[in-house]
Amino acid sequence: AQSVTQPDIHITVSEGASLELRCNYSYGATPYLFWYVQSPGQGLQLLLKYFSGDTLVQGIKGFEAEFKRSQSSFNLRKPSVHWSDAAEYFCAVMNTGFQKLVFGTGTRLLVSP
Amino acid sequence: NAGVTQTPKFRILKIGQSMTLQCTQDMNHNYMYWYRQDPGMGLKLIYYSVGAGITDKGEVPNGYNVSRSTTEDFPLRLELAAPSQTSVYFCASSPTSGSENEQFFGPGTRLTVL
């Protein structure tokens, strides 16, 4: 069965500093991978997705993620964090047979001044 | 184009009461989903539908029922509310069965069962 691990429950980053959120997945075949962001009291918004091709994926709001098959990872990065990036971030994997998403438990990002 | 809308935004139920969470999408998507999100947890799939008249169980279906009579609407029914159903519920939709398609989420319904 598919699973997603986000090892960091909380991360605090200073505004302007770089960010990396970790995501590891377990899936037998080539996975479809996603990062979603959830602002307080809001629904989920898709940041980026990986299906195939270039392993470095660009998303919205200046985010990018890199798929590393050898490490079963799909880490999310941003070179310079803004205070508005404070939110909860979810990594998810989709099985190739159907559109069922399996989510990680999320990482809450706090941005300090 | 409103996307995915959910009503109500908040609700408090007493144990044993019933209610229906409404979900509507105006994007003509075939696939619709219900998730629940508990504190500190990711989203868990409750039920999903691949089109009008077709529904199936997800990971945590117990205590819930769904129906899909139209493409637009996918209501979630709680028949006998229990404290374990206190959660935030999200509805989502996606266009087709193609795996490249994104799921679009509604703003959520926060339900408390006392």
Side-chain angles (χ1 to χ4, degrees):
Chain A
Q2 306 142 272
S3 66
V4 177
T5 302
Q6 293 181 249
D8 303 305
I9 299 175
H10 297 100
I11 283 185
T12 300
V13 175
S14 299
E15 189 167 16
S18 64
L19 168 71
E20 183 169 25
L21 302 182
R22 296 184 290 166
C23 172
N24 293 95
Y25 67 89
S26 173
Y27 184 57
T30 300
Y32 299 132
L33 296 160
F34 304 79
W35 274 100
Y36 282 86
V37 61
Q38 183 181 31
S39 298
Q42 303 296 312
L44 278 71
Q45 180 183 21
L46 182 69
L47 284 176
L48 48 79
K49 57 189 177 184
Y50 171 79
F51 293 113
S52 63
D54 193 345
T55 56
L56 185 61
V57 180
Q58 301 298 320
I60 62 171
K61 304 184 180 186
F63 286 91
E64 66 178 27
E66 186 171 12
F67 170 59
K68 292 185 177 180
R69 184 187 301 275
S70 61
Q71 299 177 17
S72 298
S73 69
F74 189 56
N75 294 349
L76 182 72
R77 301 194 295 248
K78 186 170 186 178
S80 178
V81 169
H82 187 263
W83 63 266
S84 61
D85 293 323
E88 187 138 23
Y89 292 80
F90 292 95
C91 183
V93 62
M94 178 187 288
N95 64 333
T96 52
F98 182 67
Q99 286 193 331
K100 290 184 185 179
L101 277 175
V102 175
F103 286 86
T105 52
T107 297
R108 182 167 297 278
L109 173 65
L110 306 173
V111 180
S112 60
Chain B
N1 191 334
V4 180
T5 57
Q6 294 182 238
T7 56
K9 293 188 187 305
F10 304 93
R11 183 72 185 269
I12 298 175
L13 284 181
K14 295 182 179 179
I15 294 172
Q17 287 185 319
S18 62
M19 77 164 293
T20 299
L21 283 66
Q22 301 292 345
C23 175
T24 300
Q25 52 92 9
D26 62 1
M27 298 173 282
N28 201 32
H29 287 172
N30 289 324
Y31 284 63
M32 296 187 74
Y33 313 81
W34 274 106
Y35 295 90
R36 61 176 286 170
Q37 183 183 31
D38 300 319
M41 304 294 290
L43 278 70
K44 302 288 187 184
L45 182 65
I46 304 172
Y47 271 95
Y48 65 95
S49 169
V50 303
I54 306 170
T55 63
D56 206 349
K57 296 177 180 178
E59 187 179 357
V60 289
N62 291 343
Y64 307 95
N65 283 298
V66 294
S67 60
R68 183 97 181 268
S69 57
T70 67
T71 298
E72 295 78 18
D73 300 307
F74 190 41
L76 178 71
R77 179 81 177 165
L78 283 70
E79 292 293 351
L80 290 171
S84 61
Q85 294 177 305
T86 294
S87 191
V88 181
Y89 292 84
F90 290 99
C91 180
S93 71
S94 62
T96 69
S97 61
S99 295
E100 295 188 6
N101 286 304
E102 169 189 349
Q103 289 189 17
F104 294 82
F105 285 80
T109 294
R110 184 175 295 275
L111 176 66
T112 302
V113 181
L114 301 174

